[in-house]
Amino acid sequence: MRRITRITTVGIASAALALTATACGGKTSSDAGSDGQAKAAIAYDIGGRGDQSFNDAAYAGLKKAEDELNIKGAEAEPSEGEGDADKVQRLTELARSGNNPVIGVGFAYAPAIEKVAKKYPKTTFGLIDDTSKTGPNIANLVFNEEQGSYLAGVAAAKASKTGTVGFIGGVEVPLIKKFEAGFVQGVTDTNPKAKVLKQYLTQPPNFDGFAKPDLGKAAAQGMLDKNADVIYAAAGLAGSGAIEATATAGKWAIGVDSDQYNQKGLAKYKAKILTSVTKDVSDSVFNLIESVKKGKPQSGEVRYGLDRDGVGLANSNPEYQKMTDLIAAVEKAKADIIAGKIKVKTAP
């Protein structure tokens, strides 16, 4: 795979390298597909590949498509402090280079995809985590994050010994409010006496809360100082800082988007990553690429929820697997959500 930025990496980069790549910018170019091989591209969200979370999940889907569908994949990194014009240029170059589909990882790509999709009507554009911009060649790949977060809330309430747990949101936007809403509801439904500490790292238009681990680390430390013993961070790369602080203190961290217990960059802290709220971003990327290759491209809203394992709760940590009461509570909540017995809020 050729990574079409000024940074080239092999495998999953470390968090530090991801920040370096982000700072270097998102200028793209491509000579892929000169042999007629089908091509697909993803344009990363803030934090870039190596965030151990959201972007890495998207990359896994592209890599799977390369391996199983004989696709030639291209990747493009964001540039620090960029605006919509930069995203438009990036997506335009990816489409002009013959990539189909072109996938924007994250809601920040919505305005740019709306513009570029009209200029390239024969190219399918994937827009992850956003339904505000639609079109005949736009596939809106979205998830019921609140449902997975509800299960995390159940797990947190069951695992907590102090009765105080924490939620850290990267940036206070509607998408992350869904994570908060589900988590808080899951906690309080399980233990009405529990206390949930909540903090957002930044406010838009400042999106550093998705990119800077130090912000997550400081927020988690503040919650630990207030007696929280389980902390859930939905903050992209910044979430790795929250995991570091929480695990170092010997308390439970809950990861997000990917199964962070299995992320190499977080291996030092994995023993204290209780579980992770997973979003099947990987399969959503793969499925879109496959649909285009088969000549039946997805379009419109493509939703992934608990009912189709599009969101869920990871159980990789052996310590989690020993918590039979916790697991039973999570499984019951999952069944009740799927059956419609529990209605999970999408806003606090």
Side-chain angles (χ1 to χ4, degrees), residues 111-299:
I113 281 181
E114 181 182 38
K115 291 182 179 180
V116 181
K118 293 176 181 178
K119 297 179 181 179
Y120 293 88
K122 295 183 179 180
T123 299
T124 293
F125 290 84
L127 176 55
I128 299 178
D129 281 349
D130 190 275
T131 58
S132 68
K133 308 299 181 183
T134 61
N137 59 330
I138 297 175
N140 304 91
L141 310 178
V142 291
F143 303 82
N144 292 118
E145 295 91 354
E146 73 283 357
Q147 294 179 348
S149 294
Y150 184 98
L151 300 186
V154 173
K158 284 290 187 178
S160 177
K161 295 180 179 179
T162 66
T164 299
V165 302
F167 172 79
I168 297 172
V171 183
E172 192 167 3
V173 293
L175 174 66
I176 306 303
K177 300 291 272 189
K178 289 174 66 180
F179 287 87
E180 177 196 343
F183 180 71
V184 172
Q185 185 180 349
V187 171
T188 55
D189 281 358
T190 306
N191 178 9
K193 295 181 179 180
K195 182 178 182 180
V196 184
L197 306 176
K198 294 167 284 186
Q199 182 175 341
Y200 284 87
L201 302 179
T202 61
Q203 299 289 324
N206 180 359
F207 287 87
D208 285 351
F210 289 138
K212 296 188 175 182
D214 285 350
L215 295 178
K217 185 175 181 179
Q221 189 58 59
M223 291 180 175
L224 292 165
D225 292 342
K226 295 178 181 177
N227 215 28
D229 61 352
V230 185
I231 296 177
Y232 171 39
L237 183 60
S240 64
I243 289 174
E244 178 186 348
T246 306
T248 300
K251 307 303 181 183
W252 288 119
I254 296 178
V256 75
D257 292 336
S258 299
D259 183 354
Q260 295 195 291
Y261 178 87
N262 290 321
Q263 290 290 340
K264 293 180 181 179
L266 296 170
K268 183 178 178 180
Y269 312 109
K270 65 188 297 183
K272 299 306 296 183
I273 300 176
L274 176 65
T275 182
S276 297
V277 175
T278 57
K279 289 170 57 173
D280 204 353
V281 175
S282 173
D283 267 8
S284 74
V285 169
F286 177 86
N287 292 341
L288 179 58
I289 295 171
E290 184 179 47
S291 74
V292 172
K293 184 166 186 181
K294 288 182 175 180
K296 297 180 179 180
Q298 294 176 334
S299 64

Side-chain angles (χ1 to χ4, degrees), residues 333-348:
K334 178 179 178 180
D336 286 348
I337 291 171
I338 293 173
K341 295 180 181 179
I342 295 176
K343 302 292 185 182
V344 185
K345 299 176 183 178
T346 57

Side-chain angles (χ1 to χ4, degrees), residues 39-54:
K39 300 188 295 179
I42 54 178
Y44 290 118
D45 199 5
I46 297 166
R49 176 145 75 87
D51 66 350
Q52 317 295 331
S53 184
F54 185 50

